[in-house]
Coordinates of all heavy atoms in Angstrom, one line a residue:
M1 N -85.7 -60.4 32.0 CA -85.6 -59.1 32.6 C -86.7 -58.2 32.2 O -86.6 -57.4 31.3 CB -84.2 -58.5 32.2 CG -84.0 -57.1 32.8 SD -82.2 -56.7 32.8 CE -81.7 -57.3 31.2
R2 N -87.9 -58.5 32.7 CA -89.0 -57.7 32.4 C -89.0 -56.5 33.2 O -89.2 -56.5 34.4 CB -90.3 -58.6 32.6 CG -90.3 -59.8 31.7 CD -91.4 -60.7 32.2 NE -91.5 -61.9 31.3 CZ -90.7 -62.9 31.4 NH1 -89.7 -62.9 32.3 NH2 -90.8 -63.9 30.6
F3 N -88.8 -55.3 32.6 CA -88.4 -54.1 33.3 C -89.6 -53.7 34.2 O -89.3 -53.3 35.4 CB -88.1 -53.0 32.4 CG -87.4 -51.9 33.1 CD1 -86.1 -52.0 33.6 CD2 -88.1 -50.7 33.3 CE1 -85.5 -50.9 34.3 CE2 -87.5 -49.6 33.9 CZ -86.2 -49.8 34.4
T5 N -91.8 -55.6 35.6 CA -91.8 -56.5 36.8 C -90.7 -56.2 37.7 O -90.9 -56.2 38.9 CB -91.7 -58.0 36.2 OG1 -92.8 -58.2 35.4 CG2 -91.7 -58.9 37.4
V6 N -89.5 -55.9 37.2 CA -88.4 -55.7 38.0 C -88.7 -54.4 38.8 O -88.4 -54.4 40.0 CB -87.1 -55.5 37.1 CG1 -86.0 -54.9 38.0 CG2 -86.7 -56.8 36.5
R8 N -91.5 -53.2 39.8 CA -92.5 -53.5 40.8 C -91.8 -54.2 42.0 O -92.0 -53.9 43.1 CB -93.6 -54.3 40.3 CG -94.7 -54.6 41.3 CD -95.9 -55.2 40.6 NE -95.7 -56.5 40.2 CZ -95.7 -56.9 38.9 NH1 -95.8 -56.0 38.0 NH2 -95.4 -58.1 38.5
A9 N -90.9 -55.2 41.6 CA -90.2 -55.9 42.6 C -89.4 -55.0 43.5 O -89.3 -55.2 44.7 CB -89.4 -57.0 42.0
V70 N -88.1 -69.7 43.5 CA -86.9 -70.4 43.2 C -85.9 -69.4 42.7 O -86.1 -68.8 41.6 CB -87.0 -71.6 42.3 CG1 -85.7 -72.3 42.1 CG2 -88.1 -72.6 42.9
H88 N -80.4 -63.4 30.5 CA -81.8 -63.0 30.3 C -82.5 -63.9 29.3 O -83.6 -64.3 29.4 CB -81.8 -61.6 29.7 CG -83.1 -61.1 29.4 ND1 -83.3 -60.2 28.3 CD2 -84.3 -61.3 29.9 CE1 -84.6 -59.9 28.3 NE2 -85.3 -60.6 29.2
E91 N -83.5 -67.0 31.0 CA -84.7 -66.8 31.8 C -86.0 -67.2 31.0 O -86.9 -67.8 31.5 CB -84.8 -65.4 32.3 CG -86.1 -65.0 33.1 CD -86.4 -63.6 32.9 OE1 -85.5 -62.7 33.0 OE2 -87.6 -63.3 32.8
H92 N -86.0 -66.7 29.7 CA -87.1 -67.0 28.9 C -87.2 -68.5 28.6 O -88.4 -69.0 28.5 CB -86.9 -66.2 27.5 CG -87.3 -64.8 27.7 ND1 -88.4 -64.2 27.0 CD2 -86.7 -63.8 28.4 CE1 -88.4 -62.9 27.3 NE2 -87.4 -62.6 28.1
M94 N -86.8 -70.9 30.4 CA -87.4 -71.6 31.6 C -88.9 -71.7 31.5 O -89.6 -72.4 32.2 CB -87.0 -71.0 32.9 CG -85.6 -71.3 33.3 SD -85.3 -73.0 33.8 CE -85.9 -72.9 35.5
F95 N -89.5 -70.9 30.6 CA -91.0 -71.0 30.4 C -91.4 -71.8 29.1 O -92.5 -71.8 28.7 CB -91.6 -69.6 30.3 CG -91.5 -68.8 31.6 CD1 -90.4 -67.9 31.8 CD2 -92.4 -69.0 32.6 CE1 -90.3 -67.2 33.0 CE2 -92.3 -68.3 33.8 CZ -91.2 -67.4 34.0
L117 N -97.6 -65.1 38.5 CA -96.3 -65.5 38.5 C -95.4 -64.6 37.7 O -95.9 -63.7 37.0 CB -96.2 -66.9 37.9 CG -96.2 -67.0 36.3 CD1 -95.7 -68.4 35.9 CD2 -97.5 -66.7 35.7
N118 N -94.1 -64.7 37.8 CA -93.2 -64.0 36.9 C -91.8 -64.5 37.2 O -91.6 -65.4 38.0 CB -93.3 -62.5 37.2 CG -93.0 -61.7 35.9 OD1 -92.3 -62.1 35.0 ND2 -93.7 -60.6 35.7
G119 N -90.9 -63.9 36.4 CA -89.4 -64.2 36.6 C -88.6 -63.0 36.2 O -89.2 -62.1 35.6
S120 N -87.4 -63.0 36.6 CA -86.6 -61.8 36.3 C -85.1 -62.2 36.3 O -84.7 -63.2 37.0 CB -86.9 -60.6 37.2 OG -86.4 -60.9 38.5
T121 N -84.3 -61.4 35.6 CA -82.9 -61.6 35.7 C -82.2 -60.3 36.3 O -82.5 -59.2 35.9 CB -82.3 -61.7 34.2 OG1 -83.1 -62.7 33.5 CG2 -80.9 -62.2 34.2
R122 N -81.4 -60.5 37.3 CA -80.8 -59.4 38.0 C -79.2 -59.6 37.9 O -78.7 -60.5 37.3 CB -81.2 -59.4 39.4 CG -82.7 -59.5 39.7 CD -83.5 -58.3 39.2 NE -84.9 -58.5 39.6 CZ -85.4 -58.1 40.8 NH1 -84.6 -57.6 41.7 NH2 -86.7 -58.3 41.0
F125 N -78.6 -63.0 40.3 CA -79.5 -64.2 40.4 C -80.5 -64.1 39.3 O -80.8 -63.0 38.7 CB -80.2 -64.3 41.7 CG -81.1 -63.2 42.1 CD1 -82.4 -63.1 41.6 CD2 -80.7 -62.2 43.0 CE1 -83.2 -62.0 41.9 CE2 -81.5 -61.1 43.3 CZ -82.8 -61.1 42.8
T126 N -81.2 -65.2 39.0 CA -82.4 -65.2 38.1 C -83.4 -65.9 39.0 O -83.2 -67.0 39.6 CB -82.1 -66.0 36.8 OG1 -81.0 -65.4 36.2 CG2 -83.3 -66.0 35.9
N127 N -84.6 -65.3 39.0 CA -85.7 -65.9 39.9 C -87.0 -66.2 39.2 O -87.3 -65.6 38.1 CB -85.9 -64.9 41.1 CG -86.5 -63.6 40.6 OD1 -86.4 -63.2 39.5 ND2 -86.9 -62.8 41.6
Y128 N -87.7 -67.1 39.8 CA -89.0 -67.5 39.3 C -89.9 -67.6 40.5 O -89.5 -68.2 41.5 CB -88.9 -68.8 38.5 CG -87.8 -68.8 37.5 CD1 -86.5 -69.1 37.8 CD2 -88.1 -68.4 36.2 CE1 -85.5 -69.1 36.8 CE2 -87.1 -68.3 35.2 CZ -85.8 -68.6 35.5 OH -84.8 -68.6 34.6
Y129 N -91.1 -67.1 40.4 CA -91.9 -67.1 41.6 C -93.4 -67.0 41.2 O -93.8 -66.5 40.2 CB -91.6 -65.9 42.5 CG -91.5 -64.6 41.8 CD1 -92.6 -63.8 41.7 CD2 -90.3 -64.1 41.2 CE1 -92.6 -62.5 41.0 CE2 -90.3 -62.9 40.5 CZ -91.4 -62.1 40.5 OH -91.3 -60.9 39.8
E130 N -94.2 -67.6 42.1 CA -95.7 -67.6 41.9 C -96.4 -67.5 43.2 O -95.9 -68.1 44.2 CB -96.1 -68.9 41.1 CG -95.6 -70.2 41.7 CD -94.3 -70.6 41.1 OE1 -93.8 -69.9 40.2 OE2 -93.7 -71.5 41.7
R147 N -88.9 -78.4 36.3 CA -88.1 -77.7 35.3 C -86.7 -77.5 35.8 O -85.8 -77.2 35.0 CB -88.7 -76.3 35.0 CG -89.0 -75.3 36.1 CD -89.6 -74.1 35.5 NE -90.0 -73.1 36.5 CZ -90.5 -71.9 36.2 NH1 -90.8 -71.6 34.9 NH2 -90.9 -71.1 37.2

Side-chain angles (χ1 to χ4, degrees):
M1 179 160 39
R2 297 168 178 80
F3 193 71
T5 301
V6 167
R8 184 171 67 248
V70 180
H88 177 215
E91 173 208 322
H92 283 247
M94 285 288 279
F95 293 97
L117 81 163
N118 215 324
S120 67
T121 312
R122 312 289 186 88
F125 64 79
T126 304
N127 64 346
Y128 308 88
Y129 50 91
E130 51 272 351
R147 62 179 174 179

